[in-house]
Amino acid sequence: MSIPFYDFGRLHDDHFKKQIKEIFSKIIDDGSFVEGPFNKKFEERFAQMQGAHFCRLVGNGTDALEIALNVYGVGPGDNVGVPGITFYASAEAVLNVGANVIHIDVDPTTGLMDPDSLKRVAKAHKLKAIIPVHIFGLPADIVAIQEICHEKGIKIIEDAAQAQGAILPTGPVGSTRNLVTFSFYPTKNLSAFGDAGAILCQNEEEAQVIEAIRNHGRGNTMIYGRNSRCDHLQAAVLFQKLDNIDALNEKRRQVAKTYFDLLKESEVKLLPKKFLDTSSWHLFPVRLQSAEERISLQHFLKAKNVATSPFYEQAISQDRAVANCPGENDNARSMAGTTLCLPINPFVSREDVNFIAMAIGEFYKS
Ligand SMILES: *Cc1c(COP(=O)(O)O)cnc(C)c1O
């Protein structure tokens, strides 16, 4: 028995490969390699699925964040709040536009941006924008966050790179009035055959600014842009996957449910169960007592051919260029290093989860 973390072989089965090869063959014949008809088709359908007015494809998830910051006019001298538990691209994008990272602490049970910390940090620092992250696929506390930000005129960019399929109180991720960014990197819930990303927005002006920025400022004499176009081949893959994505996310949810059932008496701490129906279950982190315990459990499972990932080993406030930035980070620091992500993808079976739960039980007995 071997349980992989990702399962691309089954995601891209023979039926899918046959379809996509036919589409690729046509694209090659047409010579339509960038921003072809599938880009438009994807943008329209994805915006509709996510409850947004507009979607614009870009090169990757980090570009999506940077361009969203550009749309809000964030640049040198501006402060942007970033939660302590996230993939470092969320902070990197802020540095890349020349702005300052301000750390905002997380809820210690979820890793999501803590609105109380945001309130305190926003009092101590003038924030131009914040980037709440729907980390692990969990929906951030967007209602509380919006209340604080609207009062102070702070712009919100939601990093939904891990959250295609997550549900907020307003509807699917993308249904708020904020700019919402996605990555379609191959490991994400909705994935390309390489790099791609997108930004959801609610008005045409924002959509036009994004279009100009991603394509060297074309069509807008006021904007000096960059190249962050999405390849037509990637857009075709993404569009082709939309029919099936809800079913695949539902399978992830079933895997999560089985973990909750089979690990409820375990020593490892699970995420709050109230997220069962609202997370996109991109990752399934369990919380451990210490960093040492995390390392030994990971080795123990590896010896049984169970692949796991230690997201996240460091809080953003412990990471390189942003380590000395101001803000709050106590919970993020204690959480980082003590979480281990168990395999969750649409193809993890009940037998797999059972095997993993038994192995974890054995680990704590030995
Ligand atoms: C993957 C990811 C990104 C970056 O996406 P890329 O497409 O790799 O640039 C940003 N934020 C989060 C939370 C991610 O998981």
Side-chain angles (χ1 to χ4, degrees):
M1 183 120 161
S2 161
I3 306 173
F5 205 71
Y6 306 107
D7 200 341
F8 299 118
R10 287 163 80 182
L11 183 60
H12 305 129
D13 60 15
D14 288 341
H15 175 67
F16 180 78
K17 277 196 290 198
K18 186 168 170 290
Q19 284 182 323
I20 210 71
K21 279 177 182 168
E22 280 168 20
I23 293 170
F24 275 22
S25 172
K26 181 155 191 319
I27 290 174
I28 294 165
D29 289 343
D30 291 349
S32 55
F33 298 119
V34 286
E35 303 200 338
F38 279 106
N39 291 63
K40 271 256 154 354
K41 280 163 79 162
F42 176 85
E43 288 177 345
E44 272 167 26
R45 176 129 185 248
F46 193 63
Q48 192 191 13
M49 276 176 66
Q50 304 299 134
H53 287 112
F54 298 92
C55 167
R56 290 297 177 263
L57 280 163
V58 295
N60 57 66
T62 311
D63 283 4
L65 286 166
E66 287 179 30
I67 294 171
L69 288 161
N70 294 155
V71 170
Y72 285 149
V74 176
D78 293 327
N79 294 329
V80 180
V82 177
I85 295 291
T86 181
F87 179 61
Y88 37 69
S90 317
E92 191 179 48
V94 175
L95 297 186
N96 289 348
V97 302
N100 310 315
V101 167
I102 309 290
H103 300 298
I104 299 175
D105 211 356
V106 299
D107 178 315
T109 64
T110 60
L112 292 166
M113 181 182 278
D114 172 18
D116 290 329
S117 175
L118 169 62
K119 218 182 268 174
R120 289 188 298 270
V121 172
K123 211 173 239 168
H125 303 272
K126 186 171 165 37
L127 299 176
K128 175 125 179 188
I130 60 163
I131 305 181
V133 182
H134 302 298
I135 196 69
F136 308 126
L138 302 171
D141 192 353
I142 208 71
V143 174
I145 289 170
Q146 287 182 162
E147 217 170 83
I148 297 162
C149 290
H150 289 171
E151 196 182 304
K152 293 185 179 293
I154 301 168
K155 300 291 191 188
I156 301 172
I157 297 165
E158 296 172 43
D159 182 342
Q162 304 185 359
Q164 197 286 321
I167 311 288
L168 298 174
T170 48
V173 159
S175 59
T176 53
R177 310 294 295 171
N178 310 313
L179 293 178
V180 182
T181 66
F182 290 83
S183 164
F184 303 124
Y185 184 76
T187 60
K188 311 291 185 185
N189 286 32
L190 177 61
S191 60
F193 281 0
D195 283 309
I199 306 169
L200 298 178
C201 60
Q202 305 296 339
N203 69 62
E204 192 147 21
E205 270 155 60
E206 287 170 350
Q208 281 170 357
V209 171
I210 297 165
E211 273 172 43
I213 293 172
R214 75 179 173 188
N215 194 17
H216 307 294
R218 289 239 172 107
N220 188 326
T221 51
M222 300 302 288
I223 288 172
Y224 219 50
R226 59 190 289 172
N227 174 6
S228 187
R229 293 178 300 239
C230 176
D231 292 347
H232 192 200
L233 293 168
Q234 302 301 350
V237 171
L238 292 168
F239 182 76
Q240 206 57 24
K241 285 187 176 184
L242 287 181
D243 279 340
N244 209 15
I245 189 64
D246 288 345
L248 291 176
N249 283 333
E250 184 50 38
K251 285 191 180 177
R252 286 176 182 268
R253 197 156 282 140
Q254 289 309 318
V255 179
K257 189 167 184 303
T258 310
Y259 272 125
F260 275 107
D261 285 347
L262 300 185
L263 286 175
K264 62 173 179 272
E265 258 132 52
S266 165
E267 278 82 352
V268 301
K269 225 167 117 199
L270 309 181
L271 290 171
K273 203 176 173 182
K274 65 172 183 190
F275 289 106
L276 192 52
D277 292 327
T278 56
S279 176
S280 69
W281 296 108
H282 176 64
L283 292 168
F284 195 91
V286 297
R287 185 85 183 267
L288 310 167
Q289 296 289 335
S290 66
E292 294 71 37
E293 187 178 313
R294 196 275 293 162
I295 292 164
S296 18
L297 178 58
Q298 186 170 27
H299 285 142
F300 188 85
L301 291 174
K302 191 173 175 209
K304 293 185 177 292
N305 292 317
V306 176
T308 59
S309 257
F311 299 127
Y312 284 90
E313 285 184 282
Q314 280 191 321
I316 287 297
S317 63
Q318 292 165 299
D319 200 42
R320 297 168 285 180
V322 296
N324 296 315
C325 295
E328 298 188 356
N329 56 47
D330 289 349
N331 290 339
R333 284 185 181 220
S334 70
M335 190 175 183
T338 59
T339 47
L340 186 65
C341 293
L342 304 178
I344 191 164
N345 66 61
F347 309 102
V348 172
S349 67
R350 188 172 179 93
E351 290 69 48
D352 293 337
V353 176
N354 195 39
F355 182 84
I356 294 166
M358 302 269 277
I360 292 174
E362 222 179 285
F363 172 80
Y364 284 101
K365 253 182 247 141
S366 62

